[in-house]
Amino acid sequence: MKALYIAVVGLLLAVPAAALPINVALGKPVTITGEVGVITEIWPPAPVAGLATIGGGVLLAEGTPWQTGPVWGDERHPPSANNVIEIDLLGTYLITDVLIQADNNDRYQINYRNTLGVWVGYGFFDSGGSPGMLTRAGSAGSFVATAIQIDAFDGDLFYSVSEFQANGSPVPEPGTLLLLGTGISAAVARRRTRRATA
């Protein structure tokens, strides 16, 4: 019986250790609804970064020009109108706080997809005072998500995002919890049966 208790306690202690908050957006697939990197005005040429850089874990220097290094789009360009960035988390996570580095003079709405597949508004980050890329972080409360959306609005319609991070921990699948509970229950019942027959 002592060995069973040690195994159960060890398992319970291991679960919180494995659930320490991490950036759950790191390296996850990123898509966008429209076109990026096309501008409607005369502007110094600047290549657009790859979409994967948004979840790449790298922050640019604060104040970096909006079209130098990040993923940018001009919503005056019809194929770029109403662009929405989506990050598929490839699992279910409890997210405690988020961070975005994006152009300073625009607002950015953050939405998340819940476990029912429904998009829910989480909150938004306002424009800031300094020119170029600006890092904003905060929490409007914890939420469980399978994907994230970033939607820029207001400002000058030149939208730019260089990094998004979401700190959280994996939520075990219901089947995993059921299997764990069944295994522990079976081990306890077996142990009790042995003690009763001894």
Side-chain angles (χ1 to χ4, degrees), residues 40-96:
T40 58
E41 298 182 6
I42 304 298
W43 208 276
V48 68
L51 289 175
T53 61
I54 292 174
V58 177
L59 293 168
L60 300 177
E62 294 291 296
T64 297
W66 66 272
Q67 83 284 22
T68 308
V71 175
W72 60 268
D74 175 0
E75 291 214 2
R76 293 175 183 87
H77 176 60
S80 299
N82 303 314
N83 274 356
V84 176
I85 296 166
E86 186 174 316
I87 303 168
D88 187 344
L89 299 177
L90 301 178
T92 304
Y93 294 90
L94 174 64
I95 297 173
T96 55

Side-chain angles (χ1 to χ4, degrees), residues 51 126 138 184:
L51 289 175
D126 276 326
I184 291 173

Side-chain angles (χ1 to χ4, degrees), residues 130-157:
S130 60
M133 303 309 290
L134 177 67
T135 304
R136 306 148 168 110
S139 176
S142 299
F143 58 95
V144 174
T146 61
I148 301 289
Q149 280 183 343
I150 304 166
D151 188 9
F153 63 102
D154 290 345
D156 59 8
L157 301 181

